[in-house]
Short mmCIF file of all heavy atoms in Angstrom, two decimals:
data_model
loop_
_atom_site.label_atom_id
_atom_site.label_comp_id
_atom_site.label_asym_id
_atom_site.label_seq_id
_atom_site.Cartn_x
_atom_site.Cartn_y
_atom_site.Cartn_z
N ASP A 102 79.53 109.53 73.99
CA ASP A 102 78.78 108.23 73.53
C ASP A 102 79.02 107.74 72.22
O ASP A 102 78.32 106.90 71.64
CB ASP A 102 77.22 108.58 73.71
CG ASP A 102 76.95 109.80 72.88
OD1 ASP A 102 77.74 110.33 72.08
OD2 ASP A 102 75.63 110.24 72.95
N ARG A 103 80.25 108.18 71.60
CA ARG A 103 80.42 107.66 70.26
C ARG A 103 81.90 107.13 70.11
O ARG A 103 82.73 107.62 70.75
CB ARG A 103 80.19 108.74 69.23
CG ARG A 103 81.25 109.90 69.20
CD ARG A 103 80.64 110.99 68.30
NE ARG A 103 81.67 111.80 67.90
CZ ARG A 103 82.23 112.92 68.50
NH1 ARG A 103 81.76 113.17 69.77
NH2 ARG A 103 83.15 113.78 68.03
N GLN A 104 82.03 106.29 69.15
CA GLN A 104 83.40 105.90 68.83
C GLN A 104 83.98 106.82 67.80
O GLN A 104 83.45 107.18 66.84
CB GLN A 104 83.33 104.45 68.05
CG GLN A 104 84.68 103.94 67.57
CD GLN A 104 84.66 102.62 66.94
OE1 GLN A 104 83.82 101.90 67.15
NE2 GLN A 104 85.65 102.44 65.96
N VAL A 105 85.26 107.32 68.14
CA VAL A 105 85.81 108.34 67.23
C VAL A 105 86.73 107.78 66.27
O VAL A 105 86.91 108.17 65.11
CB VAL A 105 86.50 109.47 68.01
CG1 VAL A 105 85.40 110.50 68.45
CG2 VAL A 105 87.33 109.09 69.18
N TYR A 106 87.41 106.67 66.66
CA TYR A 106 88.23 105.98 65.58
C TYR A 106 88.68 104.64 66.12
O TYR A 106 88.59 104.34 67.26
CB TYR A 106 89.46 106.89 65.08
CG TYR A 106 90.57 107.12 66.06
CD1 TYR A 106 91.68 106.30 66.11
CD2 TYR A 106 90.43 108.09 67.06
CE1 TYR A 106 92.69 106.52 67.08
CE2 TYR A 106 91.48 108.31 68.03
CZ TYR A 106 92.51 107.58 67.96
OH TYR A 106 93.55 107.80 68.93
N ASP A 107 89.22 103.85 65.18
CA ASP A 107 89.87 102.57 65.64
C ASP A 107 91.26 102.50 65.01
O ASP A 107 91.51 103.40 64.06
CB ASP A 107 89.10 101.41 65.32
CG ASP A 107 88.70 101.25 63.82
OD1 ASP A 107 89.46 101.91 63.01
OD2 ASP A 107 87.70 100.52 63.51
N PHE A 108 92.07 101.80 65.48
CA PHE A 108 93.45 101.61 65.01
C PHE A 108 94.00 100.17 64.94
O PHE A 108 93.50 99.41 65.75
CB PHE A 108 94.35 102.50 65.74
CG PHE A 108 94.49 102.27 67.18
CD1 PHE A 108 95.38 101.32 67.71
CD2 PHE A 108 93.64 102.87 68.10
CE1 PHE A 108 95.48 101.06 69.09
CE2 PHE A 108 93.66 102.52 69.47
CZ PHE A 108 94.66 101.69 69.89
N ASN A 109 94.95 99.93 64.15
CA ASN A 109 95.63 98.66 64.10
C ASN A 109 97.19 98.93 64.30
O ASN A 109 97.73 99.63 63.57
CB ASN A 109 95.47 97.99 62.84
CG ASN A 109 95.84 96.54 62.82
OD1 ASN A 109 96.70 96.13 63.65
ND2 ASN A 109 95.34 95.71 61.94
N LEU A 110 97.66 98.45 65.42
CA LEU A 110 99.05 98.73 65.80
C LEU A 110 99.84 97.78 64.85
O LEU A 110 99.53 96.66 64.62
CB LEU A 110 99.33 98.21 67.23
CG LEU A 110 98.62 98.92 68.35
CD1 LEU A 110 98.85 98.17 69.49
CD2 LEU A 110 99.25 100.34 68.50
N LEU A 111 100.73 98.43 64.16
CA LEU A 111 101.57 97.60 63.30
C LEU A 111 102.93 97.56 63.88
O LEU A 111 103.82 98.53 63.64
CB LEU A 111 101.58 98.18 61.86
CG LEU A 111 100.22 98.08 61.18
CD1 LEU A 111 100.14 98.90 59.92
CD2 LEU A 111 99.82 96.66 60.82
N PRO A 112 103.33 96.69 64.74
CA PRO A 112 104.60 96.62 65.33
C PRO A 112 105.71 96.56 64.41
O PRO A 112 105.58 95.90 63.41
CB PRO A 112 104.57 95.45 66.32
CG PRO A 112 103.25 94.81 66.22
CD PRO A 112 102.46 95.47 64.97
N GLU A 113 106.90 97.09 64.80
CA GLU A 113 108.06 97.03 63.82
C GLU A 113 108.41 95.47 63.66
O GLU A 113 108.35 94.78 64.68
CB GLU A 113 109.18 97.81 64.56
CG GLU A 113 110.36 97.94 63.64
CD GLU A 113 111.63 98.51 64.36
OE1 GLU A 113 111.98 98.03 65.54
OE2 GLU A 113 112.14 99.46 63.86
N GLU A 114 108.73 95.24 62.51
CA GLU A 114 109.14 93.74 62.23
C GLU A 114 110.59 93.52 62.68
O GLU A 114 111.35 94.47 62.98
CB GLU A 114 109.08 93.48 60.58
CG GLU A 114 107.90 93.85 60.03
CD GLU A 114 106.91 92.66 59.93
OE1 GLU A 114 107.45 91.49 59.77
OE2 GLU A 114 105.69 92.91 59.89
N GLY A 115 110.93 92.28 62.78
CA GLY A 115 112.36 91.84 62.99
C GLY A 115 112.67 91.80 64.48
O GLY A 115 113.67 92.12 64.92
N HIS A 116 111.58 91.53 65.29
CA HIS A 116 111.81 91.28 66.75
C HIS A 116 111.21 89.90 67.03
O HIS A 116 110.13 89.53 66.59
CB HIS A 116 111.09 92.39 67.61
CG HIS A 116 111.69 93.79 67.41
ND1 HIS A 116 112.54 94.34 68.20
CD2 HIS A 116 111.40 94.71 66.44
CE1 HIS A 116 112.89 95.45 67.86
NE2 HIS A 116 112.18 95.77 66.70
N LYS A 117 111.95 89.17 67.95
CA LYS A 117 111.35 87.89 68.44
C LYS A 117 110.09 88.09 69.11
O LYS A 117 109.10 87.34 68.97
CB LYS A 117 112.36 87.24 69.30
CG LYS A 117 111.90 85.86 69.83
CD LYS A 117 112.92 85.25 70.80
CE LYS A 117 112.48 84.02 71.37
NZ LYS A 117 113.31 83.53 72.46
N ARG A 118 109.88 89.11 69.98
CA ARG A 118 108.75 89.21 70.82
C ARG A 118 107.81 90.36 70.32
O ARG A 118 108.26 91.31 69.70
CB ARG A 118 109.30 89.63 72.20
CG ARG A 118 110.00 88.46 72.99
CD ARG A 118 109.25 87.19 72.91
NE ARG A 118 109.77 86.06 73.63
CZ ARG A 118 109.48 84.77 73.53
NH1 ARG A 118 108.53 84.52 72.68
NH2 ARG A 118 110.02 83.90 74.31
N PRO A 119 106.48 90.13 70.59
CA PRO A 119 105.58 91.20 70.22
C PRO A 119 105.68 92.54 71.06
O PRO A 119 106.45 92.42 72.02
CB PRO A 119 104.19 90.56 70.53
CG PRO A 119 104.55 89.61 71.62
CD PRO A 119 105.89 89.10 71.36
N ALA A 120 105.07 93.54 70.68
CA ALA A 120 105.29 94.76 71.33
C ALA A 120 104.80 94.70 72.82
O ALA A 120 105.33 95.42 73.74
CB ALA A 120 104.42 95.89 70.65
N PHE A 121 103.91 93.86 73.07
CA PHE A 121 103.32 93.57 74.52
C PHE A 121 102.41 92.44 74.47
O PHE A 121 101.84 92.04 73.42
CB PHE A 121 102.72 94.81 75.08
CG PHE A 121 101.78 95.49 74.19
CD1 PHE A 121 100.47 94.96 74.01
CD2 PHE A 121 102.21 96.53 73.32
CE1 PHE A 121 99.71 95.57 73.18
CE2 PHE A 121 101.33 97.07 72.51
CZ PHE A 121 100.03 96.54 72.33
N ILE A 122 102.13 91.88 75.58
CA ILE A 122 101.12 90.87 75.67
C ILE A 122 100.20 91.22 76.94
O ILE A 122 100.72 91.94 77.80
CB ILE A 122 101.62 89.42 75.93
CG1 ILE A 122 102.52 89.39 77.23
CG2 ILE A 122 102.40 88.90 74.66
CD1 ILE A 122 102.72 87.92 77.79
N ASN A 123 99.06 90.75 76.97
CA ASN A 123 98.17 90.85 78.09
C ASN A 123 98.18 89.53 78.94
O ASN A 123 97.95 88.52 78.34
CB ASN A 123 96.72 91.22 77.72
CG ASN A 123 96.56 92.65 77.42
OD1 ASN A 123 97.58 93.44 77.43
ND2 ASN A 123 95.36 93.04 77.03
N LEU A 124 98.47 89.63 80.17
CA LEU A 124 98.44 88.43 81.02
C LEU A 124 98.16 88.83 82.47
O LEU A 124 98.82 89.78 82.88
CB LEU A 124 99.86 87.82 80.84
CG LEU A 124 100.04 86.35 81.61
CD1 LEU A 124 99.13 85.31 80.96
CD2 LEU A 124 101.52 85.91 81.56
N GLN A 125 97.37 88.00 83.11
CA GLN A 125 97.18 88.38 84.56
C GLN A 125 98.50 88.23 85.37
O GLN A 125 99.22 87.33 85.15
CB GLN A 125 96.14 87.40 85.16
CG GLN A 125 94.73 87.45 84.49
CD GLN A 125 94.45 86.59 83.47
OE1 GLN A 125 95.42 86.35 82.57
NE2 GLN A 125 93.30 86.00 83.19
N GLN A 126 98.63 89.12 86.32
CA GLN A 126 99.89 89.20 87.08
C GLN A 126 100.13 87.84 87.79
O GLN A 126 101.28 87.41 87.83
CB GLN A 126 99.79 90.33 88.11
CG GLN A 126 100.97 90.30 89.07
CD GLN A 126 101.08 91.54 89.89
OE1 GLN A 126 100.45 92.60 89.49
NE2 GLN A 126 101.64 91.36 91.08
N TYR A 127 98.96 87.07 88.17
CA TYR A 127 99.12 85.91 88.87
C TYR A 127 99.80 84.80 88.01
O TYR A 127 100.60 83.93 88.57
CB TYR A 127 97.86 85.41 89.52
CG TYR A 127 96.71 85.32 88.82
CD1 TYR A 127 96.33 84.36 87.91
CD2 TYR A 127 95.70 86.30 89.01
CE1 TYR A 127 95.18 84.35 87.16
CE2 TYR A 127 94.49 86.29 88.33
CZ TYR A 127 94.12 85.26 87.42
OH TYR A 127 93.06 85.22 86.64
N TYR A 128 99.58 84.76 86.75
CA TYR A 128 100.28 83.89 85.85
C TYR A 128 101.73 84.18 85.78
O TYR A 128 102.67 83.30 85.86
CB TYR A 128 99.70 83.92 84.43
CG TYR A 128 98.51 83.02 84.23
CD1 TYR A 128 97.23 83.58 84.00
CD2 TYR A 128 98.51 81.67 84.54
CE1 TYR A 128 96.12 82.87 83.80
CE2 TYR A 128 97.33 80.92 84.42
CZ TYR A 128 96.23 81.49 84.07
OH TYR A 128 95.07 80.64 83.86
N CYS A 129 102.08 85.47 85.68
CA CYS A 129 103.49 85.86 85.65
C CYS A 129 104.16 85.39 86.92
O CYS A 129 105.22 84.79 86.84
CB CYS A 129 103.53 87.40 85.56
SG CYS A 129 105.20 88.09 85.73
N GLU A 130 103.57 85.64 88.07
CA GLU A 130 104.19 85.17 89.33
C GLU A 130 104.27 83.64 89.31
O GLU A 130 105.28 83.10 89.90
CB GLU A 130 103.31 85.69 90.47
CG GLU A 130 103.52 87.16 90.61
CD GLU A 130 102.66 87.73 91.81
OE1 GLU A 130 102.14 86.99 92.70
OE2 GLU A 130 102.35 88.93 91.83
N LEU A 131 103.28 82.97 88.88
CA LEU A 131 103.34 81.47 88.84
C LEU A 131 104.52 81.06 88.01
O LEU A 131 105.33 80.13 88.52
CB LEU A 131 102.02 80.97 88.34
CG LEU A 131 102.01 79.46 88.05
CD1 LEU A 131 102.04 78.65 89.48
CD2 LEU A 131 100.76 79.00 87.20
N TYR A 132 104.68 81.58 86.86
CA TYR A 132 105.84 81.10 85.98
C TYR A 132 107.19 81.43 86.60
O TYR A 132 108.17 80.71 86.46
CB TYR A 132 105.78 81.79 84.59
CG TYR A 132 104.39 81.46 83.90
CD1 TYR A 132 103.78 82.38 83.00
CD2 TYR A 132 103.83 80.13 84.01
CE1 TYR A 132 102.66 82.08 82.38
CE2 TYR A 132 102.66 79.89 83.41
CZ TYR A 132 102.09 80.80 82.52
OH TYR A 132 100.88 80.53 81.85
N LEU A 133 107.25 82.60 87.27
CA LEU A 133 108.52 82.94 87.97
C LEU A 133 108.80 82.02 89.15
O LEU A 133 109.99 81.60 89.28
CB LEU A 133 108.46 84.34 88.51
CG LEU A 133 108.43 85.45 87.38
CD1 LEU A 133 108.05 86.84 88.03
CD2 LEU A 133 109.75 85.61 86.74
N VAL A 134 107.77 81.51 89.86
CA VAL A 134 108.04 80.64 90.99
C VAL A 134 108.38 79.28 90.39
O VAL A 134 109.40 78.63 90.88
CB VAL A 134 106.69 80.55 91.84
CG1 VAL A 134 106.84 79.41 92.85
CG2 VAL A 134 106.43 81.78 92.62
N GLU A 135 107.70 78.91 89.30
CA GLU A 135 108.12 77.57 88.65
C GLU A 135 109.58 77.68 88.19
O GLU A 135 110.24 76.66 88.22
CB GLU A 135 107.17 77.35 87.39
CG GLU A 135 105.75 76.86 87.96
CD GLU A 135 104.75 76.67 86.87
OE1 GLU A 135 105.07 77.19 85.76
OE2 GLU A 135 103.74 76.10 87.12
N ARG A 136 109.97 78.81 87.69
CA ARG A 136 111.37 78.96 87.30
C ARG A 136 112.37 78.73 88.38
O ARG A 136 113.38 78.17 88.36
CB ARG A 136 111.58 80.28 86.50
CG ARG A 136 112.87 80.56 86.14
CD ARG A 136 113.43 79.70 85.00
NE ARG A 136 114.83 79.98 84.75
CZ ARG A 136 115.88 79.22 84.33
NH1 ARG A 136 115.53 77.87 84.24
NH2 ARG A 136 117.04 79.57 84.08
N ILE A 137 111.94 79.31 89.55
CA ILE A 137 112.69 79.19 90.75
C ILE A 137 112.81 77.72 91.13
O ILE A 137 113.93 77.26 91.51
CB ILE A 137 112.17 80.19 91.87
CG1 ILE A 137 112.59 81.62 91.49
CG2 ILE A 137 112.83 79.73 93.23
CD1 ILE A 137 112.06 82.60 92.59
N ARG A 138 111.68 77.06 91.07
CA ARG A 138 111.74 75.65 91.45
C ARG A 138 112.72 74.84 90.46
O ARG A 138 113.37 73.92 90.92
CB ARG A 138 110.34 75.06 91.36
CG ARG A 138 109.24 75.58 92.27
CD ARG A 138 109.66 75.31 93.78
NE ARG A 138 108.72 76.07 94.62
CZ ARG A 138 109.00 76.60 95.71
NH1 ARG A 138 110.30 76.74 96.15
NH2 ARG A 138 108.15 77.19 96.54
#
Side-chain angles (χ1 to χ4, degrees):
Chain A
D102 55 6
R103 72 192 202 273
Q104 178 182 327
V105 281
Y106 67 97
D107 55 23
F108 57 89
N109 192 336
L110 296 167
L111 295 168
E113 189 185 52
E114 304 269 330
H116 294 264
K117 178 181 177 188
R118 293 311 185 190
F121 45 83
I122 59 163
N123 282 358
L124 184 68
Q125 294 92 326
Q126 179 172 329
Y127 47 79
Y128 278 118
C129 172
E130 291 179 14
L131 174 69
Y132 300 144
L133 291 165
V134 170
E135 284 173 349
R136 174 65 182 149
I137 287 179
R138 297 297 178 222

